[in-house]
Amino acid sequence: SQILNLWICLEALLITGKGTHISTVEKSIKLVVTNYYLKERLTNLHDLLQKWDSVKLSEVIDKLPPEWQEDDELSTLALIGLKEHENLAMELLAEMDDYPLLRYKFMRLVREYQKPKTLEDLKTRFEKKSSYDIRRIYRTRNKIVHQGVLDNKSETIVSVAHYYLDTVMNAIIYNRIVHEDINSI
């Protein structure tokens, strides 16, 4: 019943126009989840840097142009994604010698976010994964509705469906609060 309820929630939130239910839900989720995933990676790195050394991070962020200081994700993106701020990123990295995992995570995002092709590949890979997951949830929903069949993997599919519904809800709430660009659901 959880799978059915989660699917109904996704349909209720995402189906607004033409197209099949599965294609509309899939298209919407790919857009929301992929963008949320890329943003969430920046947020996670910023949080780790903040916990590591908030004073040093603040010092480096204060050296960024004002338009990049407005938001935590923007400042992190400027540090890892823009070549013109490479010296500031190196300043942070020089302090991370005793923290190899943080250094690795920082450099991994630099490699992924500085090259448009790598970033596009990452986005495409995540879109394919979310598309596959949505279709899997829908197939399981159909088996339950039309055949009354539950397989032994339904617990995993429930957690995947929860992830997508939670991500969509978080994106809606975030956009309503921060950007005020959602008036109703």
Side-chain angles (χ1 to χ4, degrees):
S1 70
Q2 281 185 313
I3 293 172
L4 297 177
N5 288 334
L6 292 168
W7 186 261
I8 290 167
C9 290
L10 287 170
E11 282 183 341
L13 286 171
L14 301 173
I15 296 179
T16 58
K18 298 177 182 176
T20 65
H21 286 208
I22 181 69
S23 66
T24 304
V25 170
E26 180 183 354
K27 181 181 172 187
S28 300
I29 284 181
K30 281 191 327 189
L31 177 67
V32 169
V33 171
T34 301
N35 290 330
Y36 189 81
Y37 170 74
L38 295 173
K39 180 187 170 306
E40 193 65 22
R41 294 184 76 203
L42 293 172
T43 302
N44 289 342
L45 180 62
H46 181 82
D47 291 347
L48 289 172
L49 292 171
Q50 189 75 30
K51 289 176 185 170
W52 163 68
D53 192 341
S54 60
V55 174
K56 183 64 180 170
L57 181 62
S58 293
E59 289 173 4
V60 170
I61 289 174
D62 288 343
K63 295 175 185 176
L64 289 170
E67 63 270 12
W68 290 101
Q69 295 178 17
E70 295 174 14
D71 185 72
D72 293 343
E73 288 85 16
L74 275 177
S75 59
T76 306
L77 181 61
L79 292 172
I80 66 165
L82 299 175
K83 291 266 189 198
E84 60 260 26
H85 302 301
E86 183 177 3
N87 59 333
L88 297 175
M90 295 306 288
E91 188 178 322
L92 269 180
L93 281 169
E95 301 288 326
M96 289 183 208
D97 287 338
D98 294 335
Y99 301 91
L101 292 176
L102 179 61
R103 200 176 159 81
Y104 170 78
K105 186 175 214 72
F106 189 94
M107 287 308 300
R108 182 174 178 185
L109 287 184
V110 166
R111 283 190 305 274
E112 292 174 352
Y113 280 66
Q114 275 191 358
K115 296 178 184 169
K117 173 74 172 125
T118 307
L119 193 56
E120 191 62 37
D121 289 346
L122 181 66
K123 185 178 175 191
T124 301
R125 190 170 61 240
F126 201 73
E127 284 176 346
K128 284 179 182 177
K129 180 191 178 312
S130 62
S131 180
Y132 171 79
D133 288 343
I134 293 303
R135 297 217 172 249
R136 200 168 118 210
I137 293 165
Y138 191 71
R139 282 191 306 270
T140 302
R141 173 235 177 249
N142 282 347
K143 282 182 183 177
I144 294 168
V145 169
H146 299 294
Q147 300 167 355
V149 175
L150 278 174
D151 59 12
N152 57 355
K153 297 176 187 163
S154 60
E155 189 173 311
T156 304
I157 294 172
V158 167
S159 67
V160 170
H162 264 293
Y163 167 76
Y164 288 113
L165 180 60
D166 292 347
T167 302
V168 167
M169 291 300 296
N170 286 339
I172 290 170
I173 292 167
Y174 178 81
N175 284 314
R176 175 63 186 127
I177 292 171
V178 175
H179 301 293
E180 297 181 6
D181 62 353
I182 295 177
N183 293 327
S184 67
I185 298 177

